[in-house]
Amino acid sequence: MRGLKKFLFREDASAQLPEDLKASLAGWRAAPAPSPDEPHFHTRYVVVDIVSSGLQPDSDKLLGIAASGVWKGAIQPDDAFYVDFSTLDGEGAAVDRQLMAFLLFAAKAPLVTYHVPYVGGFLERAFKERLGVNFQPRWVDLAWLLPAMFPAKEQSVMPLDYWIETFGFEGSGGRRDAMANTLLLARIFQMLLVRAGSKALDTTADLLDESRASSFLRRKH
């Protein structure tokens, strides 16, 4: 019964944070999200990749986060984020501070990745357990969106290396670190934005709707 009570009435993780982190978190919560009705050229997208100990978000560990901003259709060299949690004290405030740093870096921008259930699953669990944040950003899932946008090249979900090779980028085949993966995803996303314009998907909202529709339809068929 004691264990059940502890589970049902577990305190909010944010209540255990230092005061400076509480203040940062309150500021992040209060900040408005960018309008989804802006054209792509006016929108800052954040491309994200992670490192994990396995493929199961519910049980494996999040080991690192890499992110890169794409704004005005270009990758911004100074707009990047990387943290390797394996170098930090896994039970200390350093992890919480780095997770908070990522929230501030992302600034509620739409996030872009390859396979949202994997990347988003690890991030959602980490932010819930460490900061008490219900992390539900606006996601663009390239795994499902690329076949919808480039059906002449492929019409089903493929490994990321397929698209890297298809678009002629270096680095296909073999292991890459998270930041290298993120930059490759950002370059692919740039090409997708060009294609989106030719399909009259002119705003963030259009792209998010197309990403959700592509995922839904292809999962059902």
Side-chain angles (χ1 to χ4, degrees):
M1 179 62 72
R2 181 179 180 182
L4 179 60
K5 183 177 180 180
K6 182 178 180 181
F7 174 79
L8 293 175
F9 299 98
R10 184 173 55 189
E11 290 186 87
D12 183 353
S14 62
Q16 309 300 319
L17 297 175
E19 291 304 317
D20 62 321
L21 277 182
K22 288 182 182 179
S24 294
L25 188 56
W28 176 82
R29 290 185 193 274
S35 171
D37 297 321
E38 291 291 333
H40 302 303
F41 191 77
H42 294 166
T43 300
R44 174 180 177 260
Y45 292 90
V46 175
V47 183
V48 184
D49 191 32
I50 65 166
V51 181
S52 64
S53 64
L55 300 178
Q56 303 302 320
D58 292 338
S59 55
D60 293 319
K61 294 181 179 180
L62 177 66
L63 301 179
I65 305 173
S68 177
V70 174
W71 186 47
K72 295 184 177 180
I75 301 170
Q76 305 297 324
D78 296 331
D79 191 13
F81 177 92
Y82 180 73
V83 58
D84 179 359
F85 291 117
S86 68
T87 65
L88 305 177
D89 176 6
E91 296 303 323
V95 172
D96 300 334
R97 293 184 186 282
Q98 289 296 335
L99 288 172
M100 189 68 245
F102 174 76
L103 288 181
L104 296 176
F105 172 83
K108 297 184 179 177
L111 303 187
V112 181
T113 195
Y114 206 84
H115 285 307
V116 167
Y118 165 69
V119 175
F122 275 96
L123 293 179
E124 182 178 347
R125 177 187 168 199
F127 284 113
K128 185 66 175 178
E129 291 184 355
R130 304 291 310 197
L131 301 183
V133 170
N134 182 23
F135 188 65
Q136 298 291 332
R138 297 169 294 174
W139 283 109
V140 174
D141 195 335
L142 295 179
W144 299 94
L145 194 53
L146 284 168
M149 301 292 281
F150 298 94
K153 297 184 182 297
E154 180 56 51
Q155 298 187 29
S156 60
V157 173
M158 299 293 288
L160 174 58
D161 280 334
Y162 171 84
W163 293 103
I164 294 172
E165 182 176 353
T166 295
F167 291 126
F169 294 138
E170 296 180 1
S172 62
R175 298 176 63 85
R176 296 175 297 272
D177 62 36
M179 184 53 75
N181 248 9
T182 298
L183 293 175
L184 284 168
L185 287 173
R187 294 174 70 186
I188 292 173
F189 182 61
Q190 286 179 291
M191 299 187 70
L192 186 142
L193 287 179
V194 174
R195 177 58 64 94
S198 70
K199 291 180 174 289
L201 301 174
D202 298 322
T203 68
T204 303
D206 293 334
L207 200 61
L208 293 168
D209 288 344
E210 184 69 19
S211 179
R212 285 190 290 266
S214 299
S215 175
F216 177 78
L217 291 174
R218 292 174 185 277
R219 287 177 187 273
K220 293 294 184 181
H221 295 88

